[in-house]
Amino acid sequence: MRTVVVDGPHSIRVDTRPDPVLPGPDGAIVEVTAAGICGSDLHFYEGDFPLGEPMPLGHEAVGTVVEIGPDVRRVAVGDQVMVSSVTGCGACPGCATNDPVMCYNGFQIFGGGVLDGAQADLLAVPAADFQLLKIPDGITTEQALLLTDNLATGWAAAQRADIPYGGTVAVIGLGAVGLCALQSALFQGAATAFAVDRVDGRLERAARWGATPVKPPAVEAILAATGGRGADAVIDAVATDASMTDALNAVRPGGTVSVVGVHDLQPFPFPALGCLIRSITFRMTTAPVQRTWPQLIPLLRSGRLDVDGIFTTTLPLDEAAKGYATAASRTGDDVKILLTP
């Protein structure tokens, strides 16, 4: 089968590797029909994380079940499914919360160096009854892909930001996760939203959704707009030292900073004393993907929550290198890339 691998900074190729085998009696093999390039994939592409050897990439996938183990009960061969980007054993008390990060046996992420990558022809999925969900009627391929990671992450980021009804939120970073977080925050009760990014096209998109566009650093603009108090909540979908510092300085006393961006491997100089004095809540979140599905799917099917247009470019799997270069350009026209095996 073909699979996308990264073998160094800005070096992507489509490799040919043996087809996967069932990862156990509770596992499944999925023929991937669409896969997304995530902002966190770019950390490997841009050399932020070290690589010991060429590594398969990708953790966002939808596809068709082509093989199941004897213990699989909830999906069948031929089902169109979406695959949670984060995996758990599916059998422990932690997984019973529908949050794979809480798995007592340890969670894993596809394409992170342990499990195979989802940007491939075929994907082996452990604990299939927990990781897979049949794509419901009325859910598009693009929506299903967002449900595997980005929308679940943005939704959880907004939930953990403690946004009061009628309150003010700032979202830093308007990639796919940031845009999903912005829509989620508005849906969850924010009356005023500041959208922070350097790219004009992304700021224009956020403005069309009703947000106030701000270029970073955003502290001065947000403080001026809130009478010096700051935003009730700040969602950081970037997680650089600069963006987290901006977030902590832009939130009001007693407010919450919710971080879902992926930081690098260097320590962040956390301003603990200032946060203590101002009673700031600081949260970092990996999405409880499966837990979000019962909330998000009805909202998408009804049209109440609109994330259409976040996927801006579709390319065949063989053009993955072009897809990564496009994603890394971070332009206003190219927000998220969809690969089709």
Side-chain angles (χ1 to χ4, degrees), residues 209-239:
W209 288 354
T212 299
V214 180
K215 289 198 172 183
V219 175
E220 184 175 341
I222 292 172
L223 292 179
T226 57
R229 183 165 174 77
D232 296 308
V234 180
I235 298 170
D236 183 359
V238 181

mmCIF file of all heavy atoms in Angstrom, residues 209-239:
data_model
loop_
_atom_site.group_PDB
_atom_site.id
_atom_site.type_symbol
_atom_site.label_atom_id
_atom_site.label_comp_id
_atom_site.label_asym_id
_atom_site.label_seq_id
_atom_site.Cartn_x
_atom_site.Cartn_y
_atom_site.Cartn_z
ATOM 1 N N TRP A 209 -17.765 35.682 9.954
ATOM 2 C CA TRP A 209 -18.497 34.909 10.963
ATOM 3 C C TRP A 209 -18.924 35.772 12.157
ATOM 4 O O TRP A 209 -19.510 35.261 13.093
ATOM 5 C CB TRP A 209 -17.633 33.751 11.450
ATOM 6 C CG TRP A 209 -17.475 32.647 10.442
ATOM 7 C CD1 TRP A 209 -18.101 32.538 9.243
ATOM 8 C CD2 TRP A 209 -16.633 31.496 10.564
ATOM 9 N NE1 TRP A 209 -17.706 31.393 8.604
ATOM 10 C CE2 TRP A 209 -16.813 30.725 9.383
ATOM 11 C CE3 TRP A 209 -15.761 31.037 11.538
ATOM 12 C CZ2 TRP A 209 -16.139 29.526 9.168
ATOM 13 C CZ3 TRP A 209 -15.086 29.838 11.323
ATOM 14 C CH2 TRP A 209 -15.284 29.100 10.147
ATOM 15 N N GLY A 210 -18.580 37.054 12.137
ATOM 16 C CA GLY A 210 -19.019 37.953 13.200
ATOM 17 C C GLY A 210 -17.977 38.294 14.233
ATOM 18 O O GLY A 210 -18.283 38.942 15.240
ATOM 19 N N ALA A 211 -16.714 37.881 14.005
ATOM 20 C CA ALA A 211 -15.650 38.175 14.960
ATOM 21 C C ALA A 211 -14.960 39.492 14.607
ATOM 22 O O ALA A 211 -15.030 39.975 13.475
ATOM 23 C CB ALA A 211 -14.626 37.047 14.975
ATOM 24 N N THR A 212 -14.284 40.059 15.598
ATOM 25 C CA THR A 212 -13.473 41.263 15.399
ATOM 26 C C THR A 212 -12.045 40.835 15.103
ATOM 27 O O THR A 212 -11.395 40.214 15.952
ATOM 28 C CB THR A 212 -13.494 42.144 16.662
ATOM 29 O OG1 THR A 212 -14.839 42.544 16.941
ATOM 30 C CG2 THR A 212 -12.623 43.379 16.470
ATOM 31 N N PRO A 213 -11.524 41.127 13.911
ATOM 32 C CA PRO A 213 -10.174 40.681 13.565
ATOM 33 C C PRO A 213 -9.107 41.514 14.270
ATOM 34 O O PRO A 213 -9.206 42.736 14.361
ATOM 35 C CB PRO A 213 -10.119 40.871 12.050
ATOM 36 C CG PRO A 213 -11.133 41.928 11.748
ATOM 37 C CD PRO A 213 -12.203 41.799 12.783
ATOM 38 N N VAL A 214 -8.064 40.828 14.747
ATOM 39 C CA VAL A 214 -6.957 41.475 15.455
ATOM 40 C C VAL A 214 -5.669 40.789 15.021
ATOM 41 O O VAL A 214 -5.597 39.562 14.972
ATOM 42 C CB VAL A 214 -7.106 41.349 16.990
ATOM 43 C CG1 VAL A 214 -5.932 42.024 17.692
ATOM 44 C CG2 VAL A 214 -8.430 41.934 17.464
ATOM 45 N N LYS A 215 -4.645 41.566 14.742
ATOM 46 C CA LYS A 215 -3.332 40.983 14.450
ATOM 47 C C LYS A 215 -2.500 40.927 15.733
ATOM 48 O O LYS A 215 -2.586 41.817 16.575
ATOM 49 C CB LYS A 215 -2.611 41.798 13.373
ATOM 50 C CG LYS A 215 -3.238 41.627 11.988
ATOM 51 C CD LYS A 215 -2.315 42.059 10.875
ATOM 52 C CE LYS A 215 -2.909 41.695 9.516
ATOM 53 N NZ LYS A 215 -2.008 42.047 8.398
ATOM 54 N N PRO A 216 -1.701 39.859 15.885
ATOM 55 C CA PRO A 216 -0.886 39.737 17.095
ATOM 56 C C PRO A 216 0.311 40.696 17.053
ATOM 57 O O PRO A 216 0.753 41.089 15.979
ATOM 58 C CB PRO A 216 -0.429 38.277 17.047
ATOM 59 C CG PRO A 216 -0.404 37.933 15.593
ATOM 60 C CD PRO A 216 -1.531 38.726 14.969
ATOM 61 N N PRO A 217 0.814 41.065 18.255
ATOM 62 C CA PRO A 217 0.292 40.731 19.583
ATOM 63 C C PRO A 217 -1.029 41.450 19.843
ATOM 64 O O PRO A 217 -1.190 42.608 19.462
ATOM 65 C CB PRO A 217 1.403 41.212 20.522
ATOM 66 C CG PRO A 217 2.107 42.287 19.757
ATOM 67 C CD PRO A 217 2.042 41.884 18.315
ATOM 68 N N ALA A 218 -1.949 40.729 20.483
ATOM 69 C CA ALA A 218 -3.333 41.189 20.558
ATOM 70 C C ALA A 218 -3.687 41.877 21.863
ATOM 71 O O ALA A 218 -4.793 42.387 22.012
ATOM 72 C CB ALA A 218 -4.259 39.988 20.362
ATOM 73 N N VAL A 219 -2.778 41.892 22.817
ATOM 74 C CA VAL A 219 -3.121 42.366 24.161
ATOM 75 C C VAL A 219 -3.651 43.785 24.132
ATOM 76 O O VAL A 219 -4.717 44.086 24.703
ATOM 77 C CB VAL A 219 -1.901 42.269 25.100
ATOM 78 C CG1 VAL A 219 -2.237 42.871 26.462
ATOM 79 C CG2 VAL A 219 -1.475 40.818 25.257
ATOM 80 N N GLU A 220 -2.929 44.663 23.492
ATOM 81 C CA GLU A 220 -3.311 46.085 23.515
ATOM 82 C C GLU A 220 -4.700 46.297 22.928
ATOM 83 O O GLU A 220 -5.533 47.002 23.498
ATOM 84 C CB GLU A 220 -2.274 46.913 22.758
ATOM 85 C CG GLU A 220 -2.526 48.408 22.818
ATOM 86 C CD GLU A 220 -1.421 49.214 22.154
ATOM 87 O OE1 GLU A 220 -0.312 48.660 21.979
ATOM 88 O OE2 GLU A 220 -1.681 50.388 21.808
ATOM 89 N N ALA A 221 -4.974 45.652 21.789
ATOM 90 C CA ALA A 221 -6.269 45.826 21.139
ATOM 91 C C ALA A 221 -7.398 45.251 21.985
ATOM 92 O O ALA A 221 -8.482 45.848 22.098
ATOM 93 C CB ALA A 221 -6.245 45.163 19.763
ATOM 94 N N ILE A 222 -7.173 44.094 22.587
ATOM 95 C CA ILE A 222 -8.227 43.469 23.391
ATOM 96 C C ILE A 222 -8.480 44.266 24.663
ATOM 97 O O ILE A 222 -9.637 44.488 25.060
ATOM 98 C CB ILE A 222 -7.858 42.003 23.691
ATOM 99 C CG1 ILE A 222 -7.898 41.183 22.399
ATOM 100 C CG2 ILE A 222 -8.795 41.406 24.738
ATOM 101 C CD1 ILE A 222 -7.367 39.777 22.535
ATOM 102 N N LEU A 223 -7.427 44.735 25.308
ATOM 103 C CA LEU A 223 -7.611 45.548 26.511
ATOM 104 C C LEU A 223 -8.328 46.846 26.176
ATOM 105 O O LEU A 223 -9.223 47.290 26.923
ATOM 106 C CB LEU A 223 -6.262 45.833 27.170
ATOM 107 C CG LEU A 223 -5.544 44.644 27.802
ATOM 108 C CD1 LEU A 223 -4.212 45.085 28.400
ATOM 109 C CD2 LEU A 223 -6.406 43.993 28.882
ATOM 110 N N ALA A 224 -7.987 47.465 25.062
ATOM 111 C CA ALA A 224 -8.651 48.708 24.673
ATOM 112 C C ALA A 224 -10.135 48.479 24.403
ATOM 113 O O ALA A 224 -10.987 49.299 24.782
ATOM 114 C CB ALA A 224 -7.968 49.295 23.442
ATOM 115 N N ALA A 225 -10.458 47.352 23.762
ATOM 116 C CA ALA A 225 -11.849 47.069 23.410
ATOM 117 C C ALA A 225 -12.694 46.658 24.604
ATOM 118 O O ALA A 225 -13.929 46.709 24.553
ATOM 119 C CB ALA A 225 -11.897 45.977 22.345
ATOM 120 N N THR A 226 -12.034 46.228 25.691
ATOM 121 C CA THR A 226 -12.769 45.766 26.878
ATOM 122 C C THR A 226 -12.597 46.713 28.065
ATOM 123 O O THR A 226 -12.810 46.319 29.213
ATOM 124 C CB THR A 226 -12.289 44.358 27.283
ATOM 125 O OG1 THR A 226 -10.869 44.391 27.505
ATOM 126 C CG2 THR A 226 -12.617 43.336 26.205
ATOM 127 N N GLY A 227 -12.241 47.955 27.793
ATOM 128 C CA GLY A 227 -12.107 48.932 28.859
ATOM 129 C C GLY A 227 -10.977 48.631 29.820
ATOM 130 O O GLY A 227 -11.055 48.997 31.003
ATOM 131 N N GLY A 228 -9.946 47.934 29.320
ATOM 132 C CA GLY A 228 -8.796 47.619 30.145
ATOM 133 C C GLY A 228 -8.922 46.343 30.950
ATOM 134 O O GLY A 228 -7.976 45.960 31.648
ATOM 135 N N ARG A 229 -10.060 45.679 30.883
ATOM 136 C CA ARG A 229 -10.301 44.508 31.731
ATOM 137 C C ARG A 229 -9.742 43.232 31.130
ATOM 138 O O ARG A 229 -9.163 42.404 31.831
ATOM 139 C CB ARG A 229 -11.797 44.359 31.986
ATOM 140 C CG ARG A 229 -12.161 43.198 32.917
ATOM 141 C CD ARG A 229 -13.589 43.344 33.398
ATOM 142 N NE ARG A 229 -14.015 42.188 34.162
ATOM 143 C CZ ARG A 229 -13.672 41.922 35.420
ATOM 144 N NH1 ARG A 229 -12.849 42.754 36.044
ATOM 145 N NH2 ARG A 229 -14.116 40.848 36.040
ATOM 146 N N GLY A 230 -9.916 43.033 29.848
ATOM 147 C CA GLY A 230 -9.487 41.809 29.192
ATOM 148 C C GLY A 230 -10.661 40.914 28.845
ATOM 149 O O GLY A 230 -11.796 41.136 29.275
ATOM 150 N N ALA A 231 -10.385 39.889 28.058
ATOM 151 C CA ALA A 231 -11.431 38.950 27.642
ATOM 152 C C ALA A 231 -11.773 37.994 28.776
ATOM 153 O O ALA A 231 -10.921 37.643 29.592
ATOM 154 C CB ALA A 231 -10.960 38.163 26.424
ATOM 155 N N ASP A 232 -13.033 37.551 28.802
ATOM 156 C CA ASP A 232 -13.430 36.549 29.799
ATOM 157 C C ASP A 232 -12.690 35.238 29.599
ATOM 158 O O ASP A 232 -12.384 34.530 30.564
ATOM 159 C CB ASP A 232 -14.944 36.277 29.701
ATOM 160 C CG ASP A 232 -15.770 37.498 30.049
ATOM 161 O OD1 ASP A 232 -15.547 38.081 31.120
ATOM 162 O OD2 ASP A 232 -16.635 37.860 29.220
ATOM 163 N N ALA A 233 -12.409 34.912 28.344
ATOM 164 C CA ALA A 233 -11.751 33.651 28.015
ATOM 165 C C ALA A 233 -10.876 33.853 26.792
ATOM 166 O O ALA A 233 -11.207 34.647 25.906
ATOM 167 C CB ALA A 233 -12.787 32.560 27.742
ATOM 168 N N VAL A 234 -9.767 33.134 26.753
ATOM 169 C CA VAL A 234 -8.893 33.151 25.583
ATOM 170 C C VAL A 234 -8.598 31.705 25.198
ATOM 171 O O VAL A 234 -8.221 30.888 26.046
ATOM 172 C CB VAL A 234 -7.572 33.896 25.851
ATOM 173 C CG1 VAL A 234 -6.700 33.881 24.592
ATOM 174 C CG2 VAL A 234 -7.835 35.334 26.285
ATOM 175 N N ILE A 235 -8.787 31.385 23.916
ATOM 176 C CA ILE A 235 -8.452 30.076 23.371
ATOM 177 C C ILE A 235 -7.212 30.232 22.508
ATOM 178 O O ILE A 235 -7.198 31.034 21.573
ATOM 179 C CB ILE A 235 -9.616 29.512 22.536
ATOM 180 C CG1 ILE A 235 -10.864 29.323 23.409
ATOM 181 C CG2 ILE A 235 -9.218 28.194 21.878
ATOM 182 C CD1 ILE A 235 -12.121 29.005 22.616
ATOM 183 N N ASP A 236 -6.170 29.487 22.835
ATOM 184 C CA ASP A 236 -4.919 29.550 22.086
ATOM 185 C C ASP A 236 -4.785 28.292 21.242
ATOM 186 O O ASP A 236 -4.548 27.200 21.769
ATOM 187 C CB ASP A 236 -3.737 29.691 23.046
ATOM 188 C CG ASP A 236 -2.401 29.829 22.323
ATOM 189 O OD1 ASP A 236 -2.399 29.791 21.078
ATOM 190 O OD2 ASP A 236 -1.371 29.961 23.004
ATOM 191 N N ALA A 237 -4.933 28.444 19.924
ATOM 192 C CA ALA A 237 -4.813 27.320 19.004
ATOM 193 C C ALA A 237 -3.453 27.304 18.312
ATOM 194 O O ALA A 237 -3.288 26.654 17.276
ATOM 195 C CB ALA A 237 -5.928 27.369 17.963
ATOM 196 N N VAL A 238 -2.474 28.017 18.890
ATOM 197 C CA VAL A 238 -1.124 28.067 18.338
ATOM 198 C C VAL A 238 -0.123 27.445 19.312
ATOM 199 O O VAL A 238 0.641 26.554 18.975
ATOM 200 C CB VAL A 238 -0.714 29.515 18.012
ATOM 201 C CG1 VAL A 238 0.687 29.553 17.410
ATOM 202 C CG2 VAL A 238 -1.709 30.157 17.066
ATOM 203 N N ALA A 239 -0.095 27.968 20.547
ATOM 204 C CA ALA A 239 0.739 27.435 21.638
ATOM 205 C C ALA A 239 2.232 27.631 21.414
ATOM 206 O O ALA A 239 3.028 26.746 21.722
ATOM 207 C CB ALA A 239 0.419 25.967 21.926
#
